[in-house]
Amino acid sequence: MALENSEQKFKVIFENANDGITINEPGGRFLEVNHITCEKLGYSREELLQKKSKDMISSESSKLFIEHMKELYQYGHTVTGSEVACKNGTCSPVELSMSFIEYRGKPAILSIVRDITERKKAEQMLKYERDCAQNYLDIAGTIIVALNAEQKVMLINKKGSELLGFPKEDILGKNWFDAFIPEKYGQATKKSYAQLMSGNVEPVKNFEDFIITKRGEKRIIKWYNSILKDEEGRITGTLSSGEDITERKKVEEEMKVRSAAMASALTAIVIANPEGYITYVNSAFLKLWGYSSEEEVLGRSVRNLGFSEVKATGVINTLFSRGSWAGEFVCRRKDSTEFHVHLSASLVVDEAGKTICIMGSFLDISGHKEAEKMMIEARMRAEDANRAKSNFLASMSHELRTPLNSIIGFADVLRERTFGPLNDRQAKYLNNISISGKHLLKLIDDILDLSRVETGKMELNPKEFSVPKMFEEIKVTLAPLALKRNIKMIWKTEGELKSIRADRTKFKQILYNLIDNAIKFTPENGLIKIDTGVSKENISISVTDSGPGISIADQKKLFEPFTQLGKFESREQPGTGLGLVIVKKYVEMHGGTVRVESRIGAGSKFSFTIPLILE
């Protein structure tokens, strides 16, 4: 009787339950199903009793179902989610709660089948809303971070994870202050956050702080904070949006440096808007113009700074047409005194090419102008003095040549014993008189030639002549001097050389002076090479000796008048000190150039180049 009552009670519960209930053999065949199960699956009781539980599981859920069956046999109970196949071909999500029971004296499996279709819809809707919210956060241009009371990251958007350099899953759950705040600031900010969570301090809505990225780079973030609270008003965390202002901070620092540099610059600097009204001047500008404060200048037109109105307008027009202008100005200070400046002005444009402002830098060149004036006056005085010197030398040379020619002439006549015999002493003295007189005459001739060049009285007389023939003339004149010291002279010509058009006398003097100079400084048994090259437009001749060579310092003095290298007192080599000076002057008169190459102990090479045809 008690067993009948128990079975009757079970049957009432079995049929009136809100969830589907099934009983099946351990092998899976259904022994009993309630009407809810039949309704949900669309089968009749008789149809289901012919099936096994695995037949009702969708293919997508079969693998998970098998795993939970193993768990059932191991522990005697399991709960799993699954999809069951309905008779109409659809699948319905259910939650299966399975356990072993004894049914009619045999082991069986009792399954509570709960339809979770609405729950799944709610979960999907929740996921959809959550995904939408996450997408909104991810497309936001700022960093979004939510922390809980334990300082752990509960939410971060795409912008935040990209900036930190970690995927979201590596950020979520991490302690924000330990993982993403530089160690130098971490402990202090953790302490402040803990006080905020306890409600002991008022929240700071806006502040700047450092974060550290995966690469170890420090970035400056400007944060905007809000407190998160539960339904009972307790603080549960923070929601923060942040803007990366690292680059802005760098620009601000650079601007501070530039502003400080402009303010302390020694040159006067002025900035005006595109309309030409002053917006900035530095202290050097105020000092140069004699103003005591910026207020006296700001807002004024650049045309009203003591410039010539016409020139100032011209400069501004040039600025807007070319983008820059540089030149000199005469300006007036506040006290109306004038001074000279050099202005460098330019237009400052943005990325689109639009003019932002006009910038000008003024350099006070009053001292330079005064020095320039003094230099011009000094040069004019020096040129006057040089002309006076040259005129004096020319005049004196003429006055000296007449008596000197008489002395040389009478000395030569006496040396020839025209008026009677001479003893040895008389002959020696007359020879000295002749040699010294001719040397002095050569010096006077050189001085006269040099003064003519310097005063512009020396003229060229160009005509065509044979260069090889001139070479022979020079050989005849200088060969005896070379042979006397056993010096070998080698003449070499590259290219076809017949004639040139130049001043024959001066060309001959140029080459004579160079070879004569080489003979003087070449030791006995030495070598002198005269090389001639001809190009389409020029003739180049070089004279190379095997003498002692010339130092770099002395090479700079070679073409200075009356300069002889070596010890002056020893007079080791005769000469006036004007030969190379005249060479340089004559070559330049022909439109040519002179060069020297030399090293101590390696001889010297003097070269000159002049045009083949002198008009």
Side-chain angles (χ1 to χ4, degrees), residues 148 180 235 289 334 362 405 421 485 557:
N148 63 14
F180 308 113
I235 297 175
W289 260 262
K334 182 181 178 181
F362 297 87
N405 280 325
R485 302 178 63 191
K557 307 174 187 176

Side-chain angles (χ1 to χ4, degrees), residues 462 499-502 536-539 590 610-615:
S499 62
I500 66 171
R501 179 178 173 80
K536 186 177 181 181
E537 298 179 348
N538 299 314
I539 178 173
H590 280 79
I610 62 171
L612 285 172
I613 300 176
L614 180 65
E615 299 298 335

Side-chain angles (χ1 to χ4, degrees), residues 278-318:
I278 297 172
T279 58
Y280 171 85
V281 292
N282 66 349
S283 57
F285 182 93
L286 298 174
K287 182 178 179 181
L288 183 58
W289 260 262
Y291 292 102
S292 56
S293 67
E294 294 180 347
E295 286 71 23
E296 296 181 79
V297 183
L298 297 182
R300 292 175 57 180
S301 171
V302 292
R303 293 180 175 86
N304 299 329
L305 289 176
F307 306 138
S308 162
E309 180 73 20
V310 174
K311 191 164 186 178
T313 301
V315 169
I316 292 175
N317 291 338
T318 303

Side-chain angles (χ1 to χ4, degrees), residues 70-170:
K70 293 178 181 178
E71 186 177 306
L72 173 65
Y73 278 92
Q74 183 176 0
Y75 300 106
H77 179 77
T78 187
V79 177
T80 182
S82 184
E83 284 191 346
V84 293
C86 300
K87 186 176 181 179
N88 62 6
T90 62
C91 291
S92 180
V94 296
E95 180 185 82
L96 293 175
S97 177
M98 297 181 289
S99 58
F100 276 107
I101 63 171
E102 185 177 319
Y103 180 71
R104 295 179 180 174
K106 293 181 180 181
I109 299 172
L110 174 66
S111 300
I112 308 299
V113 185
R114 179 165 294 170
D115 186 356
I116 58 172
T117 302
E118 296 304 319
R119 186 203 300 177
K120 282 291 184 181
K121 288 181 180 179
E123 288 176 354
Q124 289 174 354
M125 182 57 69
L126 182 62
K127 182 179 182 300
Y128 172 76
E129 292 176 352
R130 186 173 64 247
D131 290 344
C132 287
Q134 186 66 52
N135 288 334
Y136 294 148
L137 294 176
D138 286 343
I139 64 175
T142 58
I143 308 161
I144 307 293
V145 179
L147 305 182
N148 63 14
E150 288 74 39
Q151 306 171 357
K152 292 182 179 180
V153 181
M154 304 308 294
L155 176 145
I156 188 165
N157 69 343
K158 183 179 179 181
K159 181 80 173 180
S161 65
E162 287 177 350
L163 181 63
L164 291 171
F166 294 96
K168 289 181 183 179
E169 53 269 22
D170 290 350

Side-chain angles (χ1 to χ4, degrees), residues 548-580:
I550 308 167
S551 68
I552 298 296
D554 284 341
Q555 288 178 35
K556 298 176 182 178
K557 307 174 187 176
L558 283 173
F559 300 102
E560 295 178 5
F562 305 105
T563 298
Q564 284 186 291
L565 304 182
K567 295 181 180 179
F568 177 80
E569 297 84 354
S570 66
R571 291 291 190 179
E572 294 174 359
Q573 304 297 341
T576 63
L578 293 174
L580 291 177

